[in-house]
């Protein structure tokens, strides 16, 4: 895809004149570049920091990421489906600007009431604002066109959707900043390499900068993997061209490969690991996220019941225990006084798994044939023993029968049954140790257990399905007739027995790499299990490019609504389709010209009796050479190649969402939007390039004016609306409700 460089012979007669004109032209171009960059910075910071602290209440996902920033300040452990860097930076920015980490961030709409939240908003907004100058310079380096760079930056500046995402305590501006930094660094490396600057200090700095940006992007969200793929493809393309340059030895390709592997693979992996090390070192106190992790993991958290725990090593009848599902992210076996509703099996007490610790997770281990162990008798629980599990709070036994489970109909229902610990034969379970032998003792934490129902011959399992509101959105527990169920393994976590000696469990505390791997397993499972909540506004990928529906950021009297500038989004689609059409037509034309050049190559070689130079009149050049120069060195060709890479970036950040099973939201499209906006600036300049200069300026000015005008019209979506909704005739936004699905 990248063009090969065609070297033209030197022209001795004109060399002096060319040398004299180039410095003046370069100086003029440099001055224009700085002037336009200043203009981009002025409009960017003016639009981004206007009303940045308004509204002074929680907006949308600030309730999540502000709370997580607070937990970093308080060093309280929590669970989130995203890697830690973005939240760590939010917490650090709050700490450095005077926020003390005590605000609860309970729900959107809550007033900050004097809380020093402003520093976190300023931090996120600053990173979001830096996207525009980086986008400007990226397009300029790709095309050497001031017009294309300015228009691309304008498409980013005047999009009200991107503005809205930039101004709040969210991961999105942080993610987009690092993503744009990765692309910027990628282009700088290519530029430096093409100029013969490989292995210089500047070249190494850009390599390490790009590697850092890649690591930071994927350390904020796993979707950062898409820009890693883009940079990887671009790097592979450059190495392929270097390999094909016969003027360079193969050793040069090997050196380039090794250097880039160090800077773009080894260095990012090292940084990513360091970020997680800091994350796990800072969050060293027990919190709400403990239950998502294994018992061994929790033993490293100060304040957790397993931290420096001293409890019996063996498990015995008469013990009070908590039982945790052994799968990644598994919860505690749990019950409460509520019954299954009509239509969900027998109307008996609900049994669930719950990821938070409370008294409803405690069970009493009883013999299957006695109400209790005789006083003073110690009887250890062993592999193959029959038992009953009595819920400590409600005094009902763990029970199963032939009724289907409420969610997984192929499984049997598990309930709490009986009165004051007295039930029936369906309360009896056989405990088996995975890999155990007859008479092996069940151990706390380390023994993996299977509970087999005595009458139904099914295994107690956590299906992983979330119960509806009637089950408090906890996880379903069922009994699977397939005893090989991989989710049917459990372990005893807390263990209390007055006749057993206690031992220290510190020896089971895992090291950093074990916790590092478990953190990723829990995050990946959590990501895959994200489902929409009742009444939540979600969207599908087909809706995003057409700006089908937005997202409320603030639904009070001061309304903020995430929606893209329709003029920008819809024109982006037009230029995207134009690029595909033009690129295909040019590919066909280029192939036809290459065939013509091949046919005439022999004739040209025979007739060439004198040296020709690039500054000679075009008509004196043999036709195939002119065609080759036009196809490989023209600004049009350069622009199409730049647009092609941005198109690949758009595809990589958009198409994968079609295959995702997790819940999706409108804001997931904004990384792809940035690539589309940069592509639009390049394609507009490509199309008008052959027109007279005055007409080019007129068209560019008209388009920029339309961008500014549309931004002014729709800016209340980002800066705040009040009064009636747009569907009411007396609303100031009524005439802007162009689609019925827009809800502002």
């Amino acid at each position: 895809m990248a063009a090969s460089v065609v070297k033209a012979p030197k022209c001795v007669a004109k060399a002096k004149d060319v040398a004299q004109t180039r410095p003046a032209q370069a100086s003029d171009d440099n001055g224009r570049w700085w002037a336009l960059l200043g203009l981009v910075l002025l409009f960017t910071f003016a639009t981004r920091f206007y009303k940045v602290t308004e509204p002074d209440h929680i907006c949308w996902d600030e309730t999540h990421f502000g709370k997580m920033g607070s937990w970093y300040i308080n060093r309280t452990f929590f669970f989130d489906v995203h890697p830690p860097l973005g939240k760590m930076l939010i917490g650090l920015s709050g700490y450095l600007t005077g926020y003390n980490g005590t605000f609860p961030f309970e729900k959107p709409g809550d007033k900050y009431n004097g809380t020093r939240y402003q520093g976190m908003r300023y931090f996120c907004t600053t990173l979001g604002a830096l996207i525009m100058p980086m986008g400007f310079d990226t397009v300029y380096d790709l095309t050497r066109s001031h017009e294309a760079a300015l228009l691309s930056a304008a498409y980013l500046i005047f999009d009200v959707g991107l503005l809205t995402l930039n101004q709040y305590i969210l991961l999105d501006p942080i993610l987009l900043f690092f993503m744009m930094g990765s692309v910027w660094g990628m282009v700088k490396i290519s530029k430096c390499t093409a100029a013969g600057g490989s292995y210089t200090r500047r070249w190494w700095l850009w390599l390490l900068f790009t590697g850092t940006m890649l690591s930071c992007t994927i350390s904020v969200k796993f979707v950062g993997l898409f820009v890693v793929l883009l940079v990887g493809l671009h790097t592979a393309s450059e190495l392929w061209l270097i390999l094909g340059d016969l003027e360079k030895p193969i050793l040069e390709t090997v050196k380039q490969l090794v250097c880039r592997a160090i800077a773009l693979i080894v260095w990012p992996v090292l940084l990513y690991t360091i970020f997680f090390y800091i994350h796990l070192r800072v969050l060293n106190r027990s919190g709400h996220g403990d239950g998502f992790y294994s018992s061994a993991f929790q033993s490293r958290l100060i304040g957790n019941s397993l931290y420096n725990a001293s409890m019996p090593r063996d498990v015995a009848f008469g013990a009070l225990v908590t039982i945790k599902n052994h799968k990644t992210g598994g919860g505690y076996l749990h019950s409460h006084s509520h019954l299954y509703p009509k239509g969900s099996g027998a109307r008996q007490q609900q049994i669930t798994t719950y990821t938070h610790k409370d008294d409803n997770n405690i069970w009493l281990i009883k013999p299957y044939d006695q109400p209790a162990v005789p006083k003073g008798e110690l009887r250890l629980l062993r592999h193959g023993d029959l038992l009953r599990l009595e819920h400590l709070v409600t005094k009902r036994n763990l029970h199963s029968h032939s009724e289907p489970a409420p969610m997984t109909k192929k499984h049997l229902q598990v309930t709490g049954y009986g009165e004051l610990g007295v039930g029936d034969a369906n309360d009896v379970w056989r405990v088996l140790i995975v890999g155990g032998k007859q008479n092996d003792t069940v151990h706390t934490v380390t023994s993996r257990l299977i509970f087999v129902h005595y009458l139904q011959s099914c295994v107690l399992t956590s299906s992983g399905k979330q119960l509806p509101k009637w089950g408090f959105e906890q996880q379903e527990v069922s009994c699977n007739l397939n005893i090989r169920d991989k989710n049917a393994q459990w372990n005893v976590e807390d263990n209390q027995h007055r006749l057993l000696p206690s031992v220290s469990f510190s020896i089971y505390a895992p090291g950093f790499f074990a916790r590092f791997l478990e953190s990723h397993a829990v995050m990946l499972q959590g990501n895959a299990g994200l489902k929409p909540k009742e009444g939540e506004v979600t969207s599908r990928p087909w809706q995003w490019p057409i700006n089908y529906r937005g997202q409320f950021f603030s639904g009070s009297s001061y309304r903020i609504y995430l929606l893209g500038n329709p003029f920008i989004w819809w024109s982006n689609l037009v230029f995207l389709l134009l690029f595909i059409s033009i690129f295909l037509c040019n590919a066909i034309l280029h192939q036809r010209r290459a065939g013509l050049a091949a046919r005439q190559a022999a004739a040209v070689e025979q007739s060439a009796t004198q040296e020709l130079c690039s500054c000679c009149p075009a008509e004196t050049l043999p036709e195939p050479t002119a065609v080759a120069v036009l196809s490989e060195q023209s600004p049009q060709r350069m622009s199409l190649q730049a647009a092609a890479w941005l198109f690949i970036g758009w595809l990589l950040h958009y198409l994968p969402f079609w295959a995702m099973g997790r819940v999706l939201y409108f804001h997931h499209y904004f990384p792809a939007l940035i690539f589309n906006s940069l592509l639009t600036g390049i394609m507009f300049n490509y199309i008008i390039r052959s027109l007279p200069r005055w007409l080019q300026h007129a068209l560019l000015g008209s388009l920029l004016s339309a961008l500014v005008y549309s931004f002014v019209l729709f800016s209340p979506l980002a800066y705040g609306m009040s009064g009636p909704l747009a569907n009411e005739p007396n609303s100031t936004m009524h005439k802007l409700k162009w689609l019925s699905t827009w809800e502002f």
Side-chain angles (χ1 to χ4, degrees):
M1 183 175 295
S4 58
V5 178
V6 177
K7 295 186 177 180
K10 295 181 180 179
C11 178
V12 179
K14 300 289 184 178
K16 186 175 180 180
D17 294 337
V18 171
Q20 290 175 347
T21 57
R22 277 182 181 171
Q25 183 179 357
S27 176
D28 182 56
D29 284 350
N30 195 45
R32 287 184 65 196
W33 184 89
W34 280 107
L36 291 176
L37 177 63
L39 194 64
V40 167
L41 289 171
L42 175 65
F43 277 95
T44 297
F45 283 90
T47 55
R48 266 55 193 169
F49 286 95
Y50 177 63
K51 290 191 171 183
V52 68
T53 58
E54 298 179 20
D56 61 346
H57 61 247
I58 301 173
C59 291
W60 197 48
D61 273 357
E62 284 188 327
T63 186
H64 298 305
F65 302 118
K67 187 182 299 180
M68 292 172 188
S70 300
W71 284 334
Y72 274 106
I73 293 172
N74 298 320
R75 307 192 69 174
T76 303
F77 190 80
F78 65 93
F79 163 72
D80 186 43
V81 297
H82 304 301
L85 181 61
K87 284 102 60 180
M88 284 198 296
L89 292 175
I90 288 172
L92 179 62
S93 65
Y95 177 76
L96 294 177
T97 54
Y99 172 58
N100 58 12
T102 58
F103 187 74
F105 284 97
E106 288 183 353
K107 63 182 183 302
D110 286 355
K111 288 282 188 179
Y112 281 115
N113 292 328
T115 300
R116 303 192 69 173
Y117 69 97
Q118 298 92 339
M120 291 183 282
R121 278 202 186 165
Y122 277 123
F123 170 74
C124 293
T125 303
T126 300
L127 292 189
L130 292 174
I131 295 169
M132 289 69 191
M134 286 193 295
F136 169 84
D137 193 42
T138 297
V139 172
Y140 180 76
D141 281 341
L142 286 171
T143 63
R144 311 307 296 177
S145 168
H146 295 99
E147 292 80 4
L150 179 63
L151 185 59
S152 295
Y155 261 71
L156 298 176
I157 293 170
F158 296 117
D159 178 47
V160 292
L162 200 54
L163 168 62
T164 304
L165 273 187
N166 277 3
Q167 288 192 312
Y168 298 97
I169 305 169
L170 304 171
L171 294 185
D172 298 271
I174 304 173
L175 173 74
L176 297 176
F177 165 76
F178 289 131
M179 182 198 78
M180 191 68 247
S182 300
V183 178
W184 188 40
M186 175 188 81
V187 173
K188 289 292 186 183
I189 294 168
S190 183
K191 178 184 175 183
C192 197
T193 304
S198 296
Y199 318 116
T200 61
R201 180 181 298 178
R202 180 184 180 85
W203 186 78
W204 272 108
L205 285 175
W206 281 116
L207 268 181
L208 292 173
F209 172 84
T210 306
T212 302
M213 292 293 105
L214 290 174
S215 182
C216 290
T217 307
I218 203 168
S219 297
V220 174
K221 284 188 177 183
F222 283 127
V223 293
L225 176 64
F226 302 148
V227 80
V228 173
L229 290 175
L230 176 64
V231 174
L233 288 173
H234 190 269
T235 302
S237 174
E238 283 202 322
L239 291 174
W240 183 253
L241 288 178
I242 293 171
L243 180 64
D245 188 347
L246 299 181
E247 294 184 0
K248 297 177 181 176
I250 293 181
L251 184 60
E252 172 65 15
T253 306
V254 175
K255 286 172 59 180
Q256 288 275 351
L257 176 62
V258 171
C259 292
R260 293 175 191 238
I262 292 171
L264 302 180
I265 298 177
V266 177
W267 171 241
V269 168
L270 178 62
L271 274 182
Y272 183 81
T273 307
I274 290 172
F275 294 147
F276 262 92
Y277 180 79
I278 296 171
H279 161 73
L280 293 173
R281 289 283 292 181
V282 171
L283 300 185
N284 63 352
R285 300 183 183 277
S286 178
H288 296 293
D290 295 12
F292 289 93
Y293 296 82
S294 69
S295 303
F297 189 106
Q298 295 178 47
S299 67
R300 297 296 299 264
L301 300 174
I302 299 172
N304 189 281
S305 59
L306 295 175
Y307 179 75
N308 287 336
S310 180
M311 66 178 69
R313 175 80 174 96
D314 299 323
V315 180
F317 287 96
L320 294 176
V321 298
T322 59
I323 301 172
K324 193 176 191 305
N325 191 265
H326 201 73
K327 72 177 181 181
T328 301
Y332 297 96
L333 188 65
H334 177 95
S335 188
H336 37 244
S337 58
H338 299 271
L339 307 181
Y340 287 105
K342 186 177 180 181
S344 299
R347 295 211 63 196
Q348 296 175 9
Q349 186 167 297
Q350 295 175 17
I351 302 292
T352 66
T353 59
Y354 187 50
T355 53
H356 301 289
K357 295 190 175 187
D358 65 21
D359 290 342
N360 280 323
N361 301 337
I362 302 176
W363 299 82
L364 171 65
I365 301 177
K366 305 186 300 184
Y368 79 99
D369 54 353
Q370 295 176 270
V373 178
K375 189 174 182 180
E377 180 182 330
L378 178 63
R379 182 176 163 192
L380 297 180
L381 183 65
R382 301 183 186 277
H383 175 82
D385 283 353
L386 296 175
L387 56 76
R388 296 176 192 258
L389 289 172
E390 179 186 322
H391 189 243
L392 183 67
V393 175
T394 61
K395 304 299 181 183
R396 288 192 167 94
N397 296 328
L398 187 70
H399 175 100
S400 187
H401 45 227
S402 58
E403 291 281 341
M407 305 295 290
T408 311
K409 298 301 181 182
K410 292 182 179 180
H411 294 185
L412 302 183
Q413 184 186 31
V414 175
T415 67
Y417 180 76
E419 294 289 339
L420 299 177
V422 178
D424 62 22
N426 277 319
D427 304 341
V428 180
W429 301 80
R430 186 183 300 278
V431 62
L432 301 174
I433 302 172
V434 175
K437 303 178 200 175
Q438 195 68 28
N439 293 324
D440 282 356
T441 303
V442 174
H443 292 151
T444 309
V445 177
T446 57
S447 293
R448 286 185 291 164
L449 309 175
I450 296 174
F451 295 94
V452 182
H453 195 265
Y454 182 65
L455 295 182
Q456 303 296 337
S457 297
C458 56
V459 289
L460 185 72
T461 187
S462 174
S463 68
K465 294 183 178 179
Q466 190 176 63
L467 295 171
K469 290 280 189 182
W470 56 257
F472 307 97
E473 298 181 342
Q474 295 172 11
Q475 301 291 314
E476 178 191 42
V477 170
S478 58
C479 202
N480 192 353
L481 293 169
N482 177 11
I483 62 174
R484 296 184 182 88
D485 186 349
K486 62 181 181 180
N487 295 328
Q489 296 183 16
W490 306 77
N491 67 271
V492 172
E493 183 169 290
D494 293 299
N495 178 22
Q496 302 173 40
H497 198 289
R498 58 188 178 84
L499 298 180
L500 284 171
S502 296
V503 297
S504 174
F505 274 75
S506 59
I507 59 172
Y508 299 111
F512 165 70
F513 283 105
R515 291 188 295 153
F516 176 78
L517 294 175
E518 182 176 342
S519 295
H520 283 78
V522 173
M523 283 189 296
L524 292 172
Q525 181 169 304
N527 250 310
L530 285 176
K531 304 297 178 187
K533 297 178 182 177
E534 189 175 338
E536 190 175 22
V537 178
T538 62
S539 58
R540 296 302 305 162
W542 69 264
Q543 299 174 345
W544 302 340
I546 61 175
N547 214 19
Y548 181 77
R549 177 187 284 118
Q551 171 77 49
F552 265 113
F553 262 47
S554 174
S556 63
S557 58
Y558 192 98
R559 300 190 305 278
I560 306 293
Y561 190 71
L562 175 65
L563 186 75
N565 182 333
F567 180 81
I568 288 177
W569 286 55
W570 295 341
S571 62
N572 266 345
L573 282 183
V574 171
F575 283 102
L576 194 70
L577 296 175
L578 283 174
F579 162 75
I580 296 172
S581 302
I582 293 172
F583 187 83
L584 290 175
C585 290
N586 272 268
I588 295 170
L589 182 61
H590 181 68
Q591 187 66 18
R592 298 286 294 176
R593 285 175 171 173
L596 177 63
R599 283 178 55 188
Q600 297 179 348
V604 171
E605 186 176 355
Q606 293 174 4
S607 63
T609 57
Q610 59 181 1
E611 186 180 17
L612 297 173
C613 61
S614 60
C615 59
C616 296
E619 59 269 22
T620 64
L621 285 171
E623 185 178 352
T625 308
V627 170
V629 173
L630 174 65
S631 63
E632 298 294 342
Q633 290 187 323
S634 66
Q636 288 89 341
R637 181 75 176 170
M638 189 176 181
S639 294
L640 274 185
Q641 289 164 0
W645 280 112
L646 294 174
F647 178 70
I648 292 172
W650 178 83
L651 285 177
L652 289 173
H653 286 80
Y654 176 58
L655 288 186
F657 288 102
W658 286 86
M660 291 186 186
R662 56 153 290 175
V663 61
L664 297 173
Y665 303 100
F666 181 50
H667 70 96
H668 287 134
Y669 182 68
F670 281 82
L673 173 74
I674 289 181
F675 287 98
N676 199 351
S677 295
L678 299 181
L679 184 149
T680 294
I682 292 175
M683 288 310 299
F684 179 83
N685 185 67
Y686 175 89
I687 292 169
I688 69 170
R689 199 176 190 105
S690 59
L691 299 175
R693 197 67 176 169
W694 67 268
L695 186 54
Q696 292 183 36
H697 290 161
L699 291 173
L700 179 61
S702 299
L703 182 54
L704 289 172
S705 299
L707 292 178
V708 173
Y709 180 68
S710 62
F711 173 79
V712 172
L713 284 179
F714 286 93
S715 60
L717 298 177
Y719 292 137
M721 301 169 284
S722 57
L725 294 172
N727 56 5
E728 299 180 28
N730 60 338
S731 171
T732 56
M733 304 294 289
H734 180 67
K735 293 182 179 179
L736 297 178
K737 188 173 167 56
W738 297 349
L739 295 181
S740 60
T741 49
W742 295 352
E743 301 165 315
F744 55 80

